[in-house]
Amino acid sequence: MASKSQTDFSNFVNGLERRNPHENEFVQAVREVAHSVFPLIDSDADYRSAKILERMTEPDRVISFRVSWEDDERNIRVNRAWRVQFNRAIGPYKGGLRFHKSVNQSILKFLGFEQTFKNSLTGLPMGGAKGGSNFNPKGKSAREVMRFCQSFMSELFRHIGSDADVPAGDIGVGAREIGFLFGQYTRLTNEFEGALTGKGLSYGGSPVRKEATGYGAIYFLQCMLAKQDEALEGKRVAISGAGNVALFAAERGLQEGAKVITLSDSGGFIHCKSGLDEEALDAIKTLKLEKRGRLSELSERWKGVEYFDGKAPWGVECDVAAPCATQNELDGDAARTLIDNGLRVVVEGANMPSTDEAIQCFRDEGIVFGPGKAANAGGVAVSGFEQSQNAARLRWSRDDVNARLKSLMQSIHRKCAEEMERDEGIDYVDAANRAGFRKVADAMLAYGVV
Ligand code: NDP
Ligand code: 2IT
């Protein structure tokens, strides 16, 4: 950046921090995008005079509400919940719901902000949003989760709808929770419409939605490797997380010939040097997705699988790291260890899993780095396909959806590659941010001052 631009950028970041005190995750996400797009804004008087970046970094609205519910012991419980409707310039608000004890407004604003650019990259007409609650699903019975979801939706339903705002899953919100939420939505509105995605196949869900984020991340990884004249086959892939994204990234990785050597949950990680086989992965899927168990229960179940309590998987030797658990789970120290151990490529399945320092380490060492906004867009893309199927009242086949997902991930990679050709000094992070930004910014300009 030129020095005038550097000063403008510093002023922008100072203002951002002043306006959003204590919202570290949100500031982190905005700072990264602002850094990438500042040169575009600098060279475009329309963007500058329209205060595009200032407008894009304030959510359209943040809805904050109380969720009261009764637990199995008949105690009254109270949680906080939010829906951050961030940006509607290119389509109805769209983005997941997260139920995790750590959820706060900063985390949901960062997720809603990032979603705006990710959704733009898909090429589908979707704005950006995110929501959720500090409800902790761990240890809760299915009936407790149901009562929580029903109470949550009793407020949320008035703010969403298939042309207004379409939530989906995220951490702690999978098929079961979407079922409870959708059941309550149809009951309250007397409408059967696609106001949520990630639904079960028997009531309007799309084939391949549950696999889409993980599969999409692997398709994106294949594109990044192909650009380096390399292939996924035989590569050692260290994955973190053992949820929806991680397990289906592992499944597709295995199908494409990679060696999936780690998975993790908040308790610790498993390491299998020779790579998990299909039987092992199926058992882990059953344990995590159906029985809601812990990876610690797997120790010594199979030869070659070791469990490490209380640790993240970033100390292992691998070619590819795929963080698929949560934000800021891979820091500078972890990045340096991975690089020392032979890392070549990072593909982010989670949202913002790498800290600023980690990304800087990867940049300094020439590691090929695929940011979440591009690499994990497959989930929301198939959510977009689910909306199309609901609107047309039909269902596409599994093969059809998978083929569309693959081609959409390739098109996101192509958009990034085109940005990198336009400006040789940039990487996938800048490229994804710029490609996502252009479409939203141009729509906002067209609307005038709103
Ligand atoms: P799940 O709830 O299915 O799984 C989350 C996994 O990450 C679990 O194994 C969980 O462990 C682990 N985890 C969560 N929080 C922490 C933490 N603070 N420390 C360590 N481990 C943690 O969520 P998803 O797989 O759906 O989401 C994972 C990531 O992918 C998130 O960043 C999400 O925003 C992102 N994402 C999700 C999409 C989707 O379609 N679901 C789409 C695009 C991105 P434990 O079980 O012990 O809590
Ligand atoms: O972060 C994400 O892209 C998601 N959690 C999926 C959002 C969606 O609407 O499918």
Side-chain angles (χ1 to χ4, degrees), residues 10-31:
S10 301
N11 288 342
F12 172 79
V13 172
N14 290 339
L16 176 78
E17 286 170 349
R18 227 180 11 254
R19 287 191 298 279
N20 300 282
H22 318 301
E23 296 196 345
N24 296 338
E25 295 85 358
F26 178 57
V27 169
Q28 179 185 345
V30 173
R31 202 195 301 116

Side-chain angles (χ1 to χ4, degrees), residues 65 81-84 94-100 103 108 111 115 129-133 137 148-149 152-153 156 160 165-174 177-178 180-182 195-197 209 351:
F65 54 103
W82 296 263
R83 184 71 179 166
V84 179
K94 181 84 196 86
L97 296 171
R98 178 177 291 192
F99 294 167
H100 193 269
V103 164
L108 296 178
L111 289 162
Q115 197 81 44
K130 204 83 184 190
S133 170
F148 175 81
C149 287
F152 179 89
M153 186 53 82
L156 187 68
I160 65 172
D165 182 357
V166 184
D170 193 78
I171 291 177
V173 179
E177 290 73 22
I178 294 293
F180 294 147
L181 291 163
F182 188 70
L196 289 160
T197 60
R209 173 61 189 89
N351 287 310

Side-chain angles (χ1 to χ4, degrees), residues 183-382:
Q184 184 74 349
Y185 179 83
T186 58
R187 186 178 171 204
L188 289 168
T189 58
N190 202 26
E191 305 269 357
F192 192 98
E193 49 145 359
L196 289 160
T197 60
K199 299 185 292 298
L201 292 179
S202 61
Y203 57 94
S206 174
V208 196
R209 173 61 189 89
K210 75 174 189 303
E211 297 91 341
T213 313
Y215 280 20
I218 296 297
Y219 297 147
F220 193 83
L221 170 62
Q222 288 178 307
C223 294
M224 291 197 294
L225 288 169
K227 197 166 185 288
Q228 312 289 315
D229 291 321
E230 292 200 48
L232 182 55
E233 197 156 2
K235 293 270 184 317
R236 296 162 303 171
V237 183
I239 299 180
S240 67
N244 177 265
V245 179
L247 292 170
F248 291 103
E251 179 173 288
R252 196 74 221 178
L254 229 77
Q255 286 164 3
E256 302 287 333
K259 280 189 187 171
V260 174
I261 58 172
T262 67
L263 288 166
S264 70
D265 59 21
S266 52
F269 80 96
I270 53 165
H271 188 201
C272 177
K273 270 193 185 148
S274 55
L276 294 168
D277 61 21
E278 250 181 64
E279 192 194 341
L281 184 59
D282 281 349
I284 297 170
K285 275 164 60 187
T286 306
L287 175 76
K288 293 301 296 184
L289 299 178
E290 287 168 32
K291 297 187 183 153
R292 295 167 198 279
R294 315 295 312 155
L295 286 178
S296 56
E297 297 167 39
L298 288 172
S299 51
E300 306 193 13
R301 186 181 293 194
W302 301 285
K303 220 158 136 273
V305 176
E306 251 188 298
Y307 176 73
F308 294 87
D309 197 47
K311 291 210 166 74
W314 312 127
V316 304
E317 287 182 9
C318 62
D319 305 299
V320 178
C324 297
T326 193
Q327 67 276 352
N328 292 326
E329 57 165 313
L330 200 167
D331 63 12
D333 287 341
R336 282 183 284 273
T337 308
L338 282 164
I339 293 165
D340 287 346
N341 282 332
L343 177 80
R344 311 263 297 288
V345 181
V346 178
V347 61
E348 292 190 326
N351 287 310
M352 207 170 73
S354 312
T355 64
D356 288 344
E357 194 191 349
I359 296 176
Q360 196 53 50
C361 291
F362 296 139
R363 277 183 165 149
D364 291 346
E365 296 299 323
I367 304 296
V368 181
F369 179 81
K373 262 185 223 93
N376 74 33
V380 75
V382 175

